[in-house]
Amino acid sequence: MTNTIGDIEKADVILITGSNTTENHPVLSSFVKRAVKSKGAKLIVVDPRRIKIARYAHKWLRPNLGTDVAWINGLMHVIIEEGLYAEEYVASRTVGFDELKKTVAKYTPEEVEQITGIPAQEIIDAARLYAAAAKGSILYCMGITQHTTGTDNVKSLANLAMLCGNLGIEGGGVNPLRGQNNVQGACDMGGLPDVYSGYQRVMDPEARKRMAAAWNVAELPDKPGLKVTQMMPAAHDGKLKALYIIGENPLVSDPDLNHAEKSIGNLDFLVVQDIFLTETAKLADVVLPSACFAEKEGTFANTERRVQRVRQAVDPPGQAWADWKIISAIASRMGYPMTYESSRQIMEEISRLTPSYAGISYDRIEYEGLHWPCPNAEHPGTPILHKEQFTIGKGVFHGIDYLAPAEKADEEYPLYLTTGRLLYQYHTGTMTMKTGGLNAIAPECFVEISPRDARQYDLADGVRVRIASRRGSIQARIRVSDKAVSGTVFIPFHYAQAAANRLTNAALDPISGIPEYKVCAVKLSKAA
Amino acid sequence: MSEQDLIVINGNEFSFEPGETILEVARRHSIDIPTLCHLQGAVPTGACRICVVEVQGARTLVAACATPAGRNMIVQTESAKVIQARRMVLQLLLSSGNHNCAVCGSGGGNWTEYQLKVLQAEDSDELCPVWGDCRLQELAFRYQVTGEKFEAAVTPYPMETANPFIVRDFSRCIQCGRCVQACNEIQVNQAIHFGYRGTATKIIAAGDQPYINSDCVFCGECVQVCPVGALVEKEARYRVRPWQNKKVRTTCSYCGVGCQLYLHVKDNRVVKVTGVEDVPPAYGSLCVKGRFGFDFIHSPERLKTPLIKENGEFREATWDEALDRVAGKFEAIKAQNGADSIGVLTSARITNEENYVAQKFTRAVLQTNNIDHCARL
């Protein structure tokens, strides 16, 4: 997030898109709801499903799946056309406005209605509402990024925020909501194929030299590695021979699971390090038992870049070890002694080698976490990014055209499928499915379908159906719901027995490598 | 600072900001005015009257939580009149339902008889589940009152246990309204409200339905703010006594919001989770997963030893054996197929320190940049 969670309550208008906030970030959603109910903020929700947060919205726009660039361009078209943009901000802090203006000129509200299904007048009203606010906050999640045009979608939102002068101010920002406790930290720490901790690029000879010296090795590899979504095809083709998977369950969470299973099966050696014998761990050659969050010391970085402490409350079960201890032991046995004695000692090394974490230490975050960038021990942290100027100097507008999703519904597969999470389960369910009460409320997979589609396909609530895509099929019960909009069904991806990801499309965004989980074509039939 | 900005509390002068309540000024200066219904972040209701103070020249005692500080106001927070009023409020609250915790002997009445009567009326054979962790009990002790002065009212509403997470015991509810405010003003789930009128008043969900049939999403904020034993975690009820636990503060391991929580630990087990109030980002709020979804920690299905697969079956192994196998295999594959034939998936679930070590291992030891995690998935 460019801004903080607390900042949401300072916004005059909040635009939420591609985020089922009340279910996936329940506590953060309360900041939005309070802003609306008690502080007079206006709320615009743009989502293909009539999700719960839409109940609190002044405007709910319902786009066709995968048409985000089009509606965002539509809003900017209206804002520029009506002269509602932040002229001074655009002039002094950005470049590329003319390119943007040229691109969005084509996206008249009528044109956008054709693509997105959002009535032209709604586009105009939403544009005016967002642009009229002194402080506008944009919140988005995987509904924006999990598309073949995910990067374009995010850039378009950044365009919109800059156009209205909403980046770098309190109560504004473009705020991605991170879905996992430490997805921010995993990125910050260099758990990515092209960067070391603090986003220092592996292609940069200076950075490479610095890290090699600090790590006491002669040299470090200079070309970026494979993304997770490239590792599976590489395994499939026999180029990747071994995989070491820590705390992930790709055999439920990957797209096009049938393909992923074959890829994993093709490996010479698979090590899985986890707290449970997950679907993925069952295929491993060696399984290493690790400690869960309650059994170790450390830090997580939350969605607002706040680095917070994790503390040990109980002992790990049996012989389980903290992950850092296991990794260090393997390194040592491979002739590279890693002799850390505590997580604190590792954090000291992180601060030394990571400019954005340089001022972060356990002593400083004992009571309250700090937002990175925090370049030195006196620095108070950075709750709001881009305040004086953007990291790269001026903010760059990108003129971006709409591209259709990779897969279209057709006669054979007439319905669109989108996937996501439920309030009562979490990701692949390895943790939440151990709590009886959560299972009692959300026991099994279902297909959410609109009342009209249910009538059309003659499917009653609770009936078992087979859902098939071009890649696979699963069975689940029908749930007729007002949340669904005709033509689109929704399936939660938590349940391994009826894994939605047997259906999803592994087509990737060319830049981020994120799969298009949010759009594919399916058909329904009554289960035999 | 001009003289107009001053308020006198218990003989000391304090400055205040326009709009600040007497309670806020007092708290800022560590003057303890007791509260029951007052809830940080919600609009003060002045419902319970425990926070009454004496303001010179005022006709009656005023609620400190709802009265703005005024210039030259002279306030007494523990005068005889104030104490008398608080004692009366407490006596009424203690007799409003099933509050069998009152301080023994302090009222001179028949404690045993009182206890027996209370036990008969209740579905349990023990004292109140929050004994020792109850704001009402704490205040009863502080002001040395019992519930014997007035006849105890019998609550007509049965206990609700029809959901997996929260027990609603209406006999212990003092109708302070904190849960209603927490649900409507803090979490804004708008699931519970005051229902009925007068002595029949009850906190209700969805036209007086059990939580499970209402808009309740089991965030448990109502339990967290309940000052008495009316709302209690089902799993922890009667299994955990507050003085038996140690509390360890940590960060929630579900979504990316990073709510701060206390893990309540008894006998090396996490038995209950509560939110840490007064600190960002969540100021004590949690969701159903963070508050109630912790059974996985002590699940019998947890992995406890390294496993090695032989002939398609797993067998238990020692760490030495497993680590040697992994290190040996990585070395062999690296030697035969090159470093880029190995990949590492680190995790958005583990700590920063562990992710750092994982990338260092991948780059410095394996000598490849093939490292990623599930941010994309």
Side-chain angles (χ1 to χ4, degrees):
Chain A
M1 288 170 73
T2 59
N3 289 54
T4 66
I5 295 168
D7 228 34
I8 296 169
E9 282 192 86
K10 295 176 184 149
D12 300 311
V13 65
I14 300 165
L15 168 64
I16 299 183
T17 183
S19 154
N20 181 5
T21 330
T22 58
E23 296 204 59
N24 289 330
H25 298 90
V27 172
L28 187 143
S29 82
S30 65
F31 285 75
V32 176
K33 293 183 282 184
R34 284 200 298 271
V36 173
K37 288 282 165 196
S38 324
K39 310 254 161 90
K42 297 277 189 266
L43 176 63
I44 305 166
V45 173
V46 187
D47 201 285
R49 295 169 69 211
R50 197 181 287 108
I51 47 174
K52 194 166 178 187
I53 195 75
R55 281 196 209 169
Y56 299 81
H58 299 84
K59 286 218 149 298
W60 169 54
L61 309 188
R62 192 269 159 183
N64 295 329
L65 294 184
T67 61
D68 299 291
V69 168
W71 69 257
I72 301 166
N73 278 349
L75 294 192
M76 291 193 285
H77 174 97
V78 175
I79 290 167
I80 294 174
E81 191 75 23
E82 299 190 358
L84 304 173
Y85 63 99
E87 269 178 74
E88 201 193 305
Y89 183 96
V90 168
S92 65
R93 295 202 49 186
T94 69
V95 293
F97 176 69
D98 291 335
E99 187 204 334
L100 178 79
K101 191 173 170 181
K102 211 171 113 199
T103 305
V104 304
K106 302 186 285 269
Y107 293 84
T108 61
E110 294 70 28
E111 179 65 28
V112 171
E113 177 173 339
Q114 290 299 312
I115 302 169
T116 64
I118 303 169
Q121 190 58 47
E122 297 278 296
I123 295 279
I124 296 169
D125 293 347
R128 288 176 181 161
L129 189 57
Y130 178 75
K135 294 175 285 180
S137 174
I138 296 175
L139 308 179
Y140 71 90
C141 196
M142 294 305 212
I144 280 292
T145 54
Q146 287 179 341
H147 290 280
T148 44
T149 59
T151 307
D152 287 349
N153 293 346
V154 172
K155 281 184 178 165
S156 299
L157 289 175
N159 282 343
L160 176 62
M162 284 196 300
L163 187 63
C164 295
N166 280 327
L167 270 176
I169 61 165
E170 201 175 61
V174 177
N175 299 298
L177 309 183
R178 299 298 213 155
Q180 311 224 20
N181 58 324
N182 201 30
V183 72
Q184 182 68 54
C187 295
D188 297 348
M189 290 300 109
L192 293 170
D194 57 344
V195 291
Y196 305 112
S197 59
Y199 306 94
Q200 307 174 82
R201 310 200 72 81
V202 300
M203 304 269 274
D204 173 7
E206 283 302 310
R208 220 161 47 234
K209 215 172 114 190
R210 208 165 43 241
M211 297 310 274
W215 291 345
N216 201 20
V217 289
E219 56 181 6
L220 287 168
D222 58 355
K223 82 175 189 344
L226 298 174
K227 295 174 184 139
V228 53
T229 41
Q230 294 167 325
M231 286 188 200
M232 290 300 164
H236 195 260
D237 299 345
K239 285 181 208 136
L240 197 74
K241 301 288 183 193
L243 198 50
Y244 177 13
I245 301 179
I246 304 167
E248 299 213 353
N249 191 10
L251 285 187
V252 180
S253 64
D254 264 23
D256 192 359
L257 277 182
N258 295 342
H259 184 270
E261 263 166 14
K262 274 189 220 141
S263 306
I264 295 256
N266 212 18
L267 291 166
D268 286 352
F269 188 56
L270 175 66
V271 185
V272 173
Q273 181 168 309
D274 212 312
I275 63 173
F276 289 108
L277 195 65
T278 61
E279 288 75 10
T280 309
K282 283 178 189 154
L283 299 184
D285 296 291
V286 179
V287 177
L288 304 173
S290 56
C292 80
F293 85 112
E295 297 151 359
K296 62 190 176 190
E297 300 285 322
T299 57
F300 295 152
N302 78 349
T303 188
E304 49 171 7
R305 298 166 286 105
R306 193 194 292 271
V307 182
Q308 306 190 104
R309 281 283 274 126
V310 174
R311 293 183 185 85
Q312 180 170 9
V314 293
D315 296 326
Q319 300 172 41
W321 287 359
D323 293 277
W324 63 264
K325 200 175 152 191
I326 305 175
I327 303 165
S328 302
I330 297 172
S332 300
R333 272 161 214 254
M334 290 181 72
Y336 183 97
M338 272 198 196
T339 53
Y340 300 115
E341 279 170 10
S342 65
S343 63
R344 180 186 284 263
Q345 204 186 355
I346 303 170
M347 181 50 86
E348 284 161 10
E349 181 174 321
I350 293 168
S351 329
R352 274 201 306 280
L353 297 176
T354 313
S356 53
Y357 274 64
I360 293 174
S361 64
Y362 281 15
D363 288 341
R364 286 193 74 192
I365 59 172
E366 178 62 24
Y367 184 68
E368 197 174 309
L370 280 167
H371 301 271
W372 68 258
C374 182
N376 60 60
E378 285 75 44
H379 194 281
T382 312
I384 301 176
L385 292 179
H386 316 305
K387 245 185 160 166
E388 308 304 324
Q389 61 165 20
F390 294 100
T391 321
I392 50 166
K394 295 220 171 187
V396 182
F397 283 114
H398 297 271
I400 295 166
D401 273 306
Y402 159 74
L403 294 172
E407 192 168 81
K408 270 197 153 42
D410 57 17
E411 263 177 35
E412 198 187 350
Y413 297 96
L415 287 165
Y416 280 107
L417 165 70
T418 193
T419 63
R421 290 184 187 160
L422 304 175
L423 171 63
Y424 297 100
Q425 295 291 357
Y426 184 78
H427 224 63
T428 68
T430 50
M431 290 158 61
T432 46
M433 287 176 195
K434 305 298 185 296
T435 293
L438 295 173
N439 290 335
I441 298 179
E444 61 167 0
C445 192
F446 59 84
V447 193
E448 180 189 281
I449 188 170
S450 76
R452 203 176 85 193
D453 283 346
R455 273 197 304 278
Q456 186 181 334
Y457 294 96
D458 187 27
L459 298 168
D461 201 53
V463 82
R464 279 192 81 78
V465 291
R466 178 172 172 273
I467 314 105
S469 77
R470 291 184 175 85
R471 292 153 295 278
S473 72
I474 60 169
Q475 294 198 359
R477 283 184 202 286
I478 282 288
R479 180 178 292 181
V480 180
S481 166
D482 284 338
K483 270 190 191 170
V485 180
S486 299
T488 299
V489 298
F490 165 84
I491 302 177
F493 71 84
H494 305 295
Y495 301 92
Q497 279 81 26
N501 285 325
R502 298 219 173 265
L503 310 173
T504 48
N505 191 353
L508 304 180
D509 177 286
I511 296 163
S512 70
I514 294 176
E516 190 148 68
Y517 287 110
K518 299 302 186 198
V519 194
C520 75
V522 294
K523 62 182 172 188
L524 297 182
S525 55
K526 277 186 193 153
Chain B
M1 187 190 312
S2 73
E3 222 177 288
Q4 295 176 336
D5 296 322
L6 295 177
I7 179 172
V8 179
I9 304 178
N10 299 345
N12 294 308
E13 287 186 340
F14 301 107
S15 64
F16 62 92
E17 302 289 323
E20 250 188 318
T21 61
I22 298 172
L23 179 68
E24 284 163 341
V25 180
R27 287 217 167 142
R28 224 162 19 83
H29 295 97
S30 305
I31 297 166
D32 180 20
I33 300 177
T35 57
L36 250 180
C37 72
H38 181 260
L39 182 64
Q40 195 81 35
V43 177
T45 58
C48 75
R49 312 296 296 172
I50 274 293
C51 70
V52 289
V53 293
E54 192 172 353
V55 175
Q56 206 174 80
R59 220 163 20 87
T60 57
L61 299 178
V62 303
C65 71
T67 309
R71 62 178 72 142
N72 302 328
M73 207 179 230
I74 296 170
V75 180
Q76 289 293 334
T77 68
E78 294 279 335
S79 67
K81 226 168 136 184
V82 167
I83 289 171
Q84 194 192 5
R86 285 186 191 150
R87 286 176 59 97
M88 176 62 86
V89 168
L90 289 167
Q91 279 159 343
L92 287 167
L93 286 175
L94 286 168
S95 61
S96 70
N98 202 356
H99 302 291
N100 54 339
C101 61
V103 187
C104 181
S106 60
N110 190 329
W111 172 253
T112 309
E113 199 178 296
Y114 175 68
Q115 286 293 322
L116 287 172
K117 199 170 84 190
V118 163
L119 288 182
Q120 276 171 359
E122 220 227 325
D123 298 357
S124 109
D125 55 357
E126 285 188 66
L127 278 177
C128 178
V130 296
W131 204 99
D133 186 21
C134 172
R135 185 72 180 137
L136 180 60
Q137 183 188 29
E138 199 183 305
L139 291 171
F141 184 78
R142 173 164 160 180
Y143 290 100
Q144 293 289 298
V145 288
T146 67
E148 296 156 296
K149 179 154 179 159
F150 306 105
E151 177 141 11
V154 178
T155 311
Y157 305 115
M159 197 184 297
E160 179 191 315
T161 56
N163 72 72
F165 301 120
I166 300 168
V167 172
R168 301 169 76 195
D169 182 349
F170 299 97
S171 76
R172 301 191 193 277
C173 175
I174 55 170
Q175 293 167 8
C176 66
R178 276 169 73 93
C179 56
V180 174
Q181 287 200 298
C183 189
N184 290 279
E185 293 179 47
I186 307 293
Q187 288 264 0
V188 205
N189 287 322
Q190 300 171 308
I192 56 173
H193 306 276
F194 275 98
Y196 307 107
R197 289 281 183 280
T199 52
T201 301
K202 179 190 182 190
I203 310 297
I204 59 163
D208 205 4
Q209 291 285 313
Y211 270 3
I212 194 83
N213 299 334
S214 74
D215 275 346
C216 174
V217 291
F218 299 101
C219 67
E221 189 94 10
C222 56
V223 179
Q224 172 115 10
V225 302
C226 181
V228 291
L231 295 164
V232 180
E233 298 90 349
K234 197 175 196 172
E235 288 293 312
R237 198 169 187 268
Y238 286 124
R239 291 192 195 149
V240 190
R241 289 295 185 179
W243 57 88
Q244 297 171 322
N245 305 340
K246 69 168 181 179
K247 285 200 295 187
V248 178
R249 185 178 151 188
T250 191
T251 303
C252 181
S253 75
Y254 283 108
C255 81
V257 173
C259 301
Q260 295 298 290
L261 34 92
Y262 285 119
L263 300 177
H264 297 241
V265 179
K266 182 185 171 190
D267 302 333
N268 203 26
R269 289 177 75 85
V270 177
V271 290
K272 173 171 141 167
V273 174
T274 53
V276 182
E277 294 165 18
D278 303 324
V279 290
Y283 299 95
S285 290
L286 297 176
C287 77
V288 62
K289 294 185 286 286
R291 193 182 299 275
F292 298 112
F294 59 85
D295 287 3
F296 75 91
I297 300 171
H298 303 292
S299 162
E301 292 171 47
R302 282 289 298 276
L303 287 167
K304 294 180 191 72
T305 66
L307 303 172
I308 290 178
K309 196 178 272 169
E310 266 167 16
N311 306 320
E313 297 282 325
F314 282 120
R315 67 165 173 84
E316 293 186 357
T318 63
W319 271 113
D320 267 336
E321 204 183 355
L323 292 168
D324 279 340
R325 175 78 61 101
V326 172
K329 270 292 205 181
F330 282 161
E331 273 177 342
I333 290 171
K334 189 175 152 189
Q336 203 184 340
N337 304 94
D340 288 339
S341 67
I342 307 177
V344 176
L345 289 183
T346 185
S347 177
R349 320 288 296 131
I350 61 177
T351 64
N352 285 322
E353 291 77 357
E354 290 164 337
N355 274 295
Y356 174 83
V357 170
Q359 63 115 17
K360 181 174 173 179
F361 168 74
T362 309
R363 296 185 157 116
V365 184
L366 294 177
Q367 286 283 322
T368 174
N369 282 314
N370 286 343
I371 179 164
D372 201 359
H373 67 282
C374 63
R376 298 165 219 275
L377 306 179

